[in-house]
Amino acid sequence: MTTIAILGNGRVGGNLATALTRAGHEVTSTGRTPGAAADAARRAQIVINATPGAGSLERLVALREELRGKILVDVSNATVDGPDGLPADLLYPGSSLAEQLQEALPRTRVVKTLNTMLFTVMTAPAALTQAPDAFLSGEDPQAKQTVRELLTDLGWRKEWITDLGGIGTARATEAAVLFVPHVIRSSGFAPFAISVAR
């Protein structure tokens, strides 16, 4: 059992909290209240960022001391939204939220994952008609291994998990969010994920 704090209790955070609790982990889920987030992060072994990406950097930098030495799993995408509320552009072109977080929090081990799919697929990958991919980006091999094990608890088979390399590779997976509005407009909010055909 791992002690996990999920920052963000919307659809993404709520979905992850339910699934990780079901898998046997001790999960605390918090909204945007700074005090509650700090307490949860302080007690956790792993912190998951499921807050809206446009405000994630500011929120997490405020938790620098609570995140020291922790694994921070970043599942958010930092975007500029269009009039319909769907992503229209990247907030950090030429970079990524994950890179910004790692630079601002050098004593925290940031791992980017699960940001290339509709939120329902994060905890039910086998529900798709073909195998999806979950990508890992991060500098710390042990942190990525720990996150890989968390993903298997969520139903991800080991052959569906691809380690892309360092945190710089997160800019590629975060850029994939630009597919999302077009896919949604084309086929609605049906579950989908970016995958690599092999």
Side-chain angles (χ1 to χ4, degrees):
M1 181 185 73
T2 304
T3 305
I4 301 170
I6 299 179
L7 308 182
N9 55 8
R11 292 182 298 182
V12 174
N15 186 43
L16 288 169
T18 298
L20 289 168
T21 300
R22 191 182 303 125
H25 298 288
E26 181 183 330
V27 179
T28 302
S29 185
T30 71
R32 302 183 194 185
T33 307
D39 289 343
R42 190 179 299 110
R43 293 194 306 268
Q45 296 165 283
I46 297 174
V47 178
I48 298 176
N49 174 41
T51 64
S56 290
L57 184 60
E58 182 180 357
R59 289 188 192 98
L60 292 167
V61 167
L63 301 175
R64 180 181 282 108
E65 289 308 311
E66 290 83 359
L67 293 170
R68 184 185 295 267
K70 306 288 176 74
I71 296 173
L72 175 62
V73 183
D74 180 32
V75 303
S76 296
N77 289 306
T79 60
V80 178
D81 291 342
D84 57 1
L86 294 175
D89 208 347
L90 300 174
L91 188 60
Y92 303 111
S95 184
S96 64
L97 174 58
E99 289 172 272
Q100 297 291 315
L101 288 169
Q102 188 61 86
E103 183 177 354
L105 303 167
R107 296 181 182 273
T108 301
R109 295 173 289 165
V110 179
V111 179
K112 188 81 180 191
T113 193
L114 295 180
N115 63 308
T116 55
M117 61 201 69
L118 197 67
F119 73 96
T120 56
V121 180
M122 294 178 176
T123 59
L128 297 180
T129 56
Q130 62 191 50
D133 279 290
F135 302 103
L136 297 173
S137 299
E139 298 299 325
D140 187 286
Q142 186 54 54
K144 286 193 283 189
Q145 178 57 35
T146 299
V147 174
R148 185 184 292 270
E149 291 164 9
L150 270 190
L151 293 180
T152 62
D153 288 345
L154 293 173
W156 289 86
R157 298 181 188 172
K158 63 180 181 179
E159 64 268 24
W160 296 351
I161 304 170
T162 301
D163 185 344
L164 295 179
I167 201 69
T169 62
R171 70 180 62 180
T173 61
E174 288 191 27
V177 75
L178 298 180
F179 277 104
V180 171
H182 308 297
V183 173
I184 289 173
R185 291 185 192 113
S186 171
S187 55
F189 277 92
F192 72 89
I194 302 295
S195 61
V196 179
R198 296 178 177 87

